[in-house]
Amino acid sequence: MKSPQRPPNDETFLVGYARVSTEDQNLDMQVQALTAYGVDPRFIFQEKVSAVSRRRPELAKLWKELRPGDTLVVWKLDRLGRDIRDLLNRIHELGERNVRFISLRDHLDTETAVGRLMLAICAAMAQFERDLTSERTKAGIAARKARGLPHGMAPKFDRQKMFALLDKGLSGPEVAKRFGVTKSAIYQAVPPEQRPRYFREWRRRPKGKSLDAVMSKALRRSVRVVHKAKSK
């Protein structure tokens, strides 16, 4: 989308952004809402791309189009940011560029006290999420250290040797122990179509069920066997 010529000396110019995640989805509802608010349809930047994608060309064009005094309007907050951190960073940058931000469905306006309060709450939640993640990571490292297990980045291992051990009949957990990695690392290193050949749990895997579900069932069965053995 090539940006049309904007009206001269328009200090409160509205620019819109509409996004859906897939080609099958429709942008009409968002465009209609933005147009009803007063955004010129020629200045509504539209694209069909997932929110998690770092490459959003229309958003990049919009970002270059914005000027001090403009107002960026979106239908919902999640149309703009990949996640809450990315959203807050973008809104903070808009504020530094003297660009007002409005989210129609969320009733958020960065020029109102309520809008600024909502952003402060979002920022606090984002910090809380970062702190929780950090605490979980530290707790996980401490637990692995206490059990004498490796921590940090997963160590690299020789896949040729891994397949040689699997061909000898060693199980996934046994190979994982040899290399000091998790079972998941071994499973992921083997192409999906070859996993039933090397791993019994994949041969018994019911169609349509995840490996996690199969492993959980196997674990529950093992616990029952242990309890039965103890009761004898």
Side-chain angles (χ1 to χ4, degrees):
M1 169 181 170
K2 185 178 180 180
S3 299
Q5 192 69 30
R6 65 162 66 196
N9 302 322
D10 193 336
E11 296 181 356
T12 58
F13 191 70
L14 301 179
V15 180
Y17 178 65
R19 181 190 61 77
V20 290
S21 297
T22 67
E23 289 290 337
D24 297 333
Q25 295 175 306
N26 198 299
L27 286 158
D28 290 350
M29 180 175 64
Q30 294 181 48
V31 173
Q32 289 170 7
L34 296 173
T35 304
Y37 187 78
V39 183
D40 186 331
R42 296 176 302 163
F43 289 91
I44 298 177
F45 292 76
Q46 308 173 37
E47 59 188 344
K48 296 184 175 184
V49 61
S50 171
V52 299
S53 174
R54 292 185 177 275
R55 187 178 179 277
R56 289 188 276 175
E58 290 303 314
L59 182 59
K61 291 179 186 177
L62 176 153
W63 223 248
K64 292 180 180 179
E65 175 69 27
L66 291 171
R67 301 177 187 172
D70 285 350
T71 298
L72 172 58
V73 186
V74 299
W75 183 59
K76 284 180 66 179
L77 285 170
D78 60 5
R79 300 301 89 192
L80 181 64
R82 294 195 308 272
D83 51 41
I84 190 169
R85 298 177 196 174
D86 181 51
L87 175 65
L88 289 170
N89 288 337
R90 288 188 178 277
I91 294 177
H92 179 71
E93 183 181 339
L94 290 174
E96 290 186 329
R97 295 173 61 182
N98 194 28
V99 175
R100 182 181 181 183
F101 175 72
I102 293 175
S103 175
L104 301 178
R105 280 290 299 274
D106 303 291
H107 306 289
L108 188 147
D109 183 344
T110 55
E111 287 197 355
T112 67
V114 173
R116 289 190 290 271
L117 174 62
M118 288 178 63
L119 288 177
I121 293 172
C122 288
M125 291 300 295
Q127 184 60 49
F128 176 66
E129 182 181 311
R130 284 193 291 270
D131 291 343
L132 278 182
T133 301
S134 176
E135 287 180 6
R136 291 192 190 109
T137 301
K138 290 176 181 177
I141 291 174
R144 293 183 69 82
K145 280 184 176 180
R147 290 183 293 171
L149 298 174
H151 60 278
M153 292 184 65
K156 295 181 180 180
F157 57 91
D158 189 323
R159 295 195 177 195
Q160 189 172 356
K161 291 181 179 179
M162 176 197 73
F163 280 109
L165 292 172
L166 289 171
D167 287 331
K168 288 181 179 179
L170 272 70
S171 67
E174 289 171 333
V175 175
K177 191 174 182 180
R178 291 279 186 98
F179 289 110
V181 299
T182 63
K183 292 182 291 184
S184 298
I186 300 299
Y187 289 136
Q188 291 169 9
V190 177
E193 64 274 10
Q194 294 184 27
R195 289 171 188 168
R197 172 186 171 188
Y198 292 113
F199 310 125
R200 287 180 299 174
E201 56 269 27
W202 279 85
R203 290 197 291 271
R204 296 197 304 267
R205 182 180 179 185
K207 190 175 181 180
K209 288 191 176 182
S210 68
L211 178 60
D212 288 341
V214 176
M215 295 297 287
S216 296
K217 186 176 180 181
L219 181 61
R220 290 196 299 270
R221 185 165 56 243
S222 299
V223 170
R224 286 198 297 270
V225 170
V226 171
H227 282 303
K228 187 181 292 185
K230 286 183 177 180
S231 62
K232 289 183 179 179

